[in-house]
Amino acid sequence: MLDFMYQNGWGAFTTLLFIEIPFVTIFMYVIFRKSFVDSAPSSTKHSKLARLEVVWVVSVIAVFVALNVASIRYMPTVQAAQVNEQNVKQVKVTARSWSYDISDRNFKVGQSVRFSIKSTDTQHGFALYHPDGRLLFTTMLIPGLNKATSVVYTFTEPGKYKVRCLEYCGIAHHAMQDELIVTAS
Ligand SMILES: [Cu+2]
């Protein structure tokens, strides 16, 4: 139902328009009425306003809850839990200042990969970028955890995917990069 929000970068913007366009329309209508049609104080009874307010607050809560429930299945942790591990390539990543050890850097289109990532010294990030520059996901790596931070990603297009650290980790943080190569299957 909410797939459109997650397929390209415009979903959140479109959703904002759903809210903004009715808001601006009603706002302009009220301004127009008060400026040119009837500028006298409102004759609406207070009790009616209070009822309208209840309707408004209940609708906002309903939309908020509905959107949250509908988007649970898009959460990375929920999606990762649903992956069939038999078809997933396991890749180990170790982050340290200021480089990555990656057990495999070559993948095929359509392949699902579970990146299990650990940091050995300080806080680092492991962010994957699409060849066109879009950020696909990022993780925060806390040193000293027993369990690796794990993300499953399925490559859908060939190209060179940049890996970057997005957690400031010291003087050479900007140089903490790597590259994954994805080829057509
Ligand atoms: Cu860093």
Side-chain angles (χ1 to χ4, degrees):
M1 185 178 108
L2 296 177
D3 283 349
F4 75 97
M5 284 187 68
Y6 296 88
Q7 276 159 2
N8 56 49
W10 294 97
F13 179 70
T14 316
T15 310
L16 258 186
L17 286 186
F18 284 141
I19 300 163
E20 290 294 324
I21 290 174
F23 177 82
V24 170
T25 308
I26 293 170
F27 185 75
M28 296 310 278
Y29 174 75
V30 170
I31 298 288
F32 172 78
R33 294 272 309 177
K34 278 293 154 196
S35 306
F36 303 110
V37 181
D38 175 16
S39 56
S42 170
S43 57
T44 310
K45 279 192 187 145
H46 268 273
S47 59
K48 195 183 172 193
L49 287 177
R51 250 180 293 136
L52 273 177
E53 208 144 282
V54 171
V55 171
W56 164 244
V57 170
V58 169
S59 330
V60 169
I61 292 173
V63 169
F64 177 80
V65 171
L67 268 179
N68 274 280
V69 169
S71 60
I72 284 176
R73 71 185 190 88
Y74 297 96
M75 285 176 68
T77 42
V78 174
Q79 295 214 319
Q82 290 169 341
V83 167
N84 178 0
E85 291 293 336
Q86 284 182 330
N87 307 325
V88 177
K89 186 169 181 173
Q90 304 292 333
V91 171
K92 276 199 165 173
V93 181
T94 307
R96 61 174 63 88
S97 301
W98 289 278
S99 64
Y100 297 98
D101 266 348
I102 306 178
S103 63
D104 198 339
R105 289 181 172 81
N106 296 288
F107 305 99
K108 294 259 183 249
V109 168
Q111 188 160 56
S112 295
V113 181
R114 181 182 287 281
F115 295 98
S116 298
I117 320 158
K118 278 190 163 188
S119 166
T120 56
D121 45 20
T122 182
Q123 185 169 313
H124 290 294
F126 179 88
L128 188 66
Y129 285 80
H130 188 274
D132 71 9
R134 257 183 304 134
L135 175 65
L136 297 169
F137 67 80
T138 186
T139 56
M140 184 198 274
L141 313 169
I142 312 288
L145 295 183
N146 291 326
K147 211 166 160 255
T149 302
S150 146
V151 184
V152 176
Y153 183 75
T154 305
F155 289 100
T156 55
E157 285 165 86
K160 289 180 180 175
Y161 288 66
K162 275 259 180 253
V163 172
R164 291 194 181 99
C165 173
L166 295 188
E167 301 293 331
Y168 182 68
C169 56
I171 192 81
H173 161 67
H174 62 283
M176 192 161 168
Q177 302 189 8
D178 214 297
E179 203 169 70
L180 308 178
I181 309 289
V182 178
T183 48
S185 51

